[in-house]
């Protein structure tokens, strides 16, 4: 069972710290369009789940509530967007890290399910390490090895990488079918941009998703399936769990959604 900070009392937290539980995982999501078939809170649902499962697999971490707002300006032009400047998110994380250090936390693990948060995470990590020497800050972000593993799962099932997609495609839709099928509208799912994801990244960075896809989808969500979503999520939990165990932080890279 995870030690969920928002569901604990302060004496329980005090006892956890006294027992040597001094690591907090802070999940970071976003509120941004995810095509006509997935909810705006998709990344927050995924972040909270991944952090909760990592916490459940180990008894030595506390799990903070997921932050539902991230840096999502690449989704400008789609209704429903709630986005922060990189500096705002960096300051928010820095503020929380300082407070955590004051009540005994010694390691803050940032787990983001939204690629656009990467720059803010890096800024917060650098700042906290300068300001709060007692606090180690680690960033769990997707790595090449993890991406290869996810591609392998897709390939085994005959799903092409460009259909898995970078945003609201087969990948995220499969995960949401496993996590919150009640919020997935498969009858509204349509193929989005399904050309080369590698080729489209510079355009996305420059002009945002609206310039590339009318529906907001990159990939083909119609191919999604809940069982594969469970396997994608299990691979991420396994990969992040290993990083946590060996104490290696993934180098942060700029990613798209
Ligand atoms: Zn997403």
């Amino acid at each position: 069972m995870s030690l969920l900070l928002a569901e604990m009392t302060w004496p329980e937290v005090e006892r956890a710290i006294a027992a040597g539980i001094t690591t907090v995982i802070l999940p970071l999501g976003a509120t941004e369009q995810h095509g006509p078939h997935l909810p705006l809170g998709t990344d927050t649902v995924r972040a909270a789940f991944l952090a909760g499962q990592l916490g459940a697999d180990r008894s030595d971490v506390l799990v903070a509530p997921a932050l539902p707002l991230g840096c999502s300006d690449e989704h400008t032009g789609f209704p429903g967007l709630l986005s922060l400047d990189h500096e705002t998110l960096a300051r928010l994380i820095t503020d929380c890290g300082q407070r955590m250090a004051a009540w005994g936390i010694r390691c803050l693990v940032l787990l983001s399910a939204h690629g656009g948060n990467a720059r803010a995470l890096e800024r917060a990590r650098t700042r906290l390490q300068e300001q709060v020497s007692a606090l180690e800050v680690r960033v769990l972000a997707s790595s090449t090895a993890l991406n290869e593993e996810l591609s392998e799962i897709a390939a085994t099932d005959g799903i092409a990488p460009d259909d898995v997609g970078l945003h609201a495609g087969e990948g995220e839709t499969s995960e949401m079918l496993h996590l919150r099928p009640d919020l997935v509208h498969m009858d509204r799912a349509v193929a989005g941009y399904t050309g080369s994801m590698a080729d489209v990244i510079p355009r996305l960075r420059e002009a945002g998703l609206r310039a590339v896809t009318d529906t907001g989808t990159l990939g083909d969500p119609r191919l999604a399936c809940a069982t594969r979503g469970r396997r994608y999520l299990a691979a991420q939990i396994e990969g992040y769990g290993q990083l946590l165990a060996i104490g290696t932080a993934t180098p942060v890279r700029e990613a798209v959604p």
Side-chain angles (χ1 to χ4, degrees):
M1 210 182 75
S2 318
L3 294 170
L4 302 174
L5 209 49
E7 297 184 8
M8 297 169 74
T9 63
W10 73 259
E12 287 170 345
V13 175
E14 188 176 59
R15 278 196 294 275
I17 299 284
I21 300 175
T22 56
T23 296
V24 167
I25 303 178
L26 175 63
L28 296 112
T31 300
E32 63 186 31
Q33 72 80 20
H34 272 79
H37 64 293
L38 291 180
L40 301 177
T42 290
D43 291 345
T44 311
V45 170
R46 294 168 50 243
F49 174 78
L50 291 169
Q53 286 300 300
L54 279 170
D57 288 350
R58 316 161 49 101
S59 50
D60 58 349
V61 296
L62 301 170
V63 180
L67 289 183
L69 303 183
C71 304
S72 307
D73 283 348
E74 67 275 17
H75 298 282
T76 298
F78 290 99
L81 176 67
L82 300 179
S83 181
L84 305 175
D85 288 343
H86 298 289
E87 178 59 15
T88 310
L89 181 59
R91 287 187 67 156
L92 202 153
I93 297 167
T94 309
D95 285 357
C96 289
Q98 285 170 338
R99 273 47 167 199
M100 287 178 198
W103 48 265
I105 292 303
R106 294 294 166 257
C107 179
L108 169 59
V109 178
L110 305 174
L111 194 172
S112 175
H114 169 58
N117 292 340
R119 198 187 307 173
L121 301 192
E122 185 52 35
R123 210 178 277 187
R125 173 164 66 177
T126 308
R127 214 168 278 171
L128 276 168
Q129 288 187 335
E130 282 164 11
Q131 294 174 3
V132 192
S133 57
L135 186 73
E136 180 196 358
V137 182
R138 289 159 60 183
V139 176
L140 294 184
S142 61
S143 61
T144 312
L146 185 52
N147 285 338
E148 275 168 13
E149 193 157 338
L150 297 175
S151 302
E152 219 172 281
I153 294 171
T156 307
D157 286 10
I159 307 288
D162 295 337
D163 289 330
V164 175
L166 289 174
H167 188 76
E170 182 278 331
E172 276 191 311
T173 306
S174 291
E175 292 185 10
M176 285 300 278
L177 278 176
H178 173 65
L179 295 174
R180 291 295 305 269
D182 56 314
L183 297 178
V184 181
H185 308 284
M186 284 308 285
D187 54 326
R188 300 179 209 160
V190 286
Y193 169 88
T194 51
S196 156
M197 293 299 152
D199 290 352
V200 84
I201 286 177
R203 181 103 203 273
L204 292 174
R205 290 219 173 103
E206 195 182 303
L209 270 77
R210 189 92 232 192
V212 173
T213 160
D214 283 343
T215 58
T217 303
L218 302 170
D220 192 345
R222 296 171 303 171
L223 305 170
C225 113
T227 358
R228 195 160 48 248
R230 183 180 46 72
R231 285 153 63 208
Y232 288 145
L233 290 160
Q236 290 165 74
I237 292 160
E238 167 86 25
Y240 290 150
Q242 281 171 9
L243 288 175
L244 265 183
I246 60 175
T248 309
T250 318
V252 177
R253 64 191 179 95
E254 269 300 318
V256 185

